[in-house]
């Protein structure tokens, strides 16, 4: 069965970087887009960006210059690294699978990133 | 930066019908925006309900339907159940980037 399993919770100081992983199983990893979405406490969902089946990336303008999405196809794992963290980056970060054409189906369980001094 | 607007909150009686809408800050929604709808309950990851305007996932109850209505994407719940109380988010595509609506808190009362 399809699963997206994310890495565990992180606590970071302001100015640091965080790298969240998302291990896929149960499907052909390179056949799908992998998106990253976040949700601050008590707030709505926010799209961060995607990496497509060819490995090309598209980031939301807000995160340009601070986010890097990568993947290791040999272990079916995607990564989202966010740098120069601020307190308002505190959120649950999700990876989400999309089949081309807007078919979003499976979500990871979420990773809480807390930024605090 | 495109803003996508949803009703902040709606209330519906059990067994009733309610329509949630999703509109961009400019222009109208077409099928080319690949509207998606998600349901989120407290402490849970979002659950996909509708993809590409009107298609239900295999797990989506038939009482949920998606459409385009007056230039907006719409999610209609017919015969609302108490367990439908949740937050609902739409998602639209803009030229390869995606934008979530602000979400609608649906209360079943």
């Amino acid at each position: 069965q399809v699963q997206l399993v994310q890495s565990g919770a992180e606590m970071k100081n302001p100015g640091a970087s965080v790298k969240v992983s998302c291990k896929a199983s149960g499907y052909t990893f390179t056949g799908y887009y992998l998106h990253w979405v976040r949700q601050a406490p008590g707030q709505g969902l926010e799209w961060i960006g995607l990496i497509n089946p060819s490995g090309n990336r598209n980031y939301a303008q807000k995160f340009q210059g601070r986010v890097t999405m990568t993947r290791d196809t040999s272990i079916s794992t995607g990564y989202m690294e966010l740098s120069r963290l601020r307190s308002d980056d505190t959120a649950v970060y999700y990876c989400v699978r999309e089949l081309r054409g807007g078919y979003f189906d499976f979500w990871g369980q979420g990773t809480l990133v807390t930024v605090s001094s | 930066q495109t803003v996508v607007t949803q009703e902040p909150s709606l209330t519906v009686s059990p067994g009733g019908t309610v329509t949630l809408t999703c509109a961009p800050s400019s222009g109208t929604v077409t099928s080319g925006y690949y509207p998606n709808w998600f349901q989120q309950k407290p402490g849970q990851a979002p659950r996909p309900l509708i993809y590409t305007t009107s298609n239900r996932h295999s797990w989506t109850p038939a009482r949920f339907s998606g459409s385009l209505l007056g230039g907006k994407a719409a999610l209609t719940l017919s015969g609302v159940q108490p367990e439908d109380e949740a937050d609902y988010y739409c998602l639209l595509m803009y030229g390869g980037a995606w934008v979530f609506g602000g979400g609608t808190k649906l209360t079943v009362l």
Side-chain angles (χ1 to χ4, degrees), chain A residues 35 37 39 43-45 47 50 58 61 94 98 101-105 107-108, chain B residues 1 34 36 38 40 44-46 48 51-52 57 59 89 91 96-98 100:
Chain A
H35 296 247
V37 173
Q39 187 170 37
Q43 302 300 308
L45 301 172
W47 185 79
L50 65 85
N58 192 359
Q61 191 173 2
Y94 294 99
E98 181 214 350
Y103 182 86
F104 289 82
D105 53 5
W107 290 60
Chain B
Q1 176 87 10
Y34 302 106
N36 274 255
F38 303 89
Q40 188 180 34
Q44 297 182 13
Y51 63 97
T52 57
H57 289 278
W59 53 80
Y89 294 93
L91 176 64
W98 295 81
F100 280 98

Side-chain angles (χ1 to χ4, degrees), chain B residues 2-107:
Chain B
T2 300
V3 174
V4 177
T5 300
Q6 299 182 241
E7 298 84 2
S9 63
L10 291 169
T11 300
V12 61
S13 300
T17 296
V18 64
T19 296
L20 290 63
T21 66
C22 171
S25 52
S26 64
T28 60
V29 178
T30 67
S31 58
Y33 289 80
Y34 302 106
N36 274 255
W37 289 93
F38 303 89
Q39 177 193 65
Q40 188 180 34
K41 296 183 178 179
Q44 297 182 13
R47 174 187 178 217
L49 290 176
I50 300 288
Y51 63 97
T52 57
T53 307
S54 58
N55 297 285
R56 293 186 200 91
H57 289 278
S58 59
W59 53 80
T60 303
R63 63 181 182 273
F64 292 88
S65 62
S67 65
L68 297 177
L69 200 62
K72 302 178 183 181
L75 175 70
T76 299
L77 287 70
S78 305
V80 171
Q81 302 296 305
E83 61 264 29
D84 298 334
E85 183 163 293
D87 294 327
Y88 292 83
Y89 294 93
C90 66
L91 176 64
L92 302 178
M93 190 193 79
Y94 287 87
W98 295 81
V99 182
F100 280 98
T104 296
K105 183 176 184 61
L106 183 67
T107 300

Side-chain angles (χ1 to χ4, degrees), chain A residues 9-79:
Chain A
E10 301 263 13
M11 185 163 288
K12 295 291 184 181
N13 290 322
S17 297
V18 68
K19 190 171 186 176
V20 180
S21 69
C22 173
K23 180 164 178 59
S25 61
Y27 71 98
T28 302
F29 182 65
T30 51
Y32 288 77
Y33 293 67
L34 191 67
H35 296 247
W36 291 87
V37 173
R38 76 178 187 180
Q39 187 170 37
Q43 302 300 308
L45 301 172
E46 183 173 30
W47 185 79
I48 301 171
L50 65 85
I51 187 164
N52 74 9
S54 300
N56 299 316
R57 303 153 186 86
N58 192 359
Y59 303 142
Q61 191 173 2
K62 173 178 177 176
F63 298 98
Q64 295 272 2
R66 276 211 306 146
V67 68
T68 304
M69 294 178 186
T70 58
R71 65 181 187 175
D72 185 339
T73 58
S74 68
I75 56 171
S76 299
T77 300
Y79 303 92

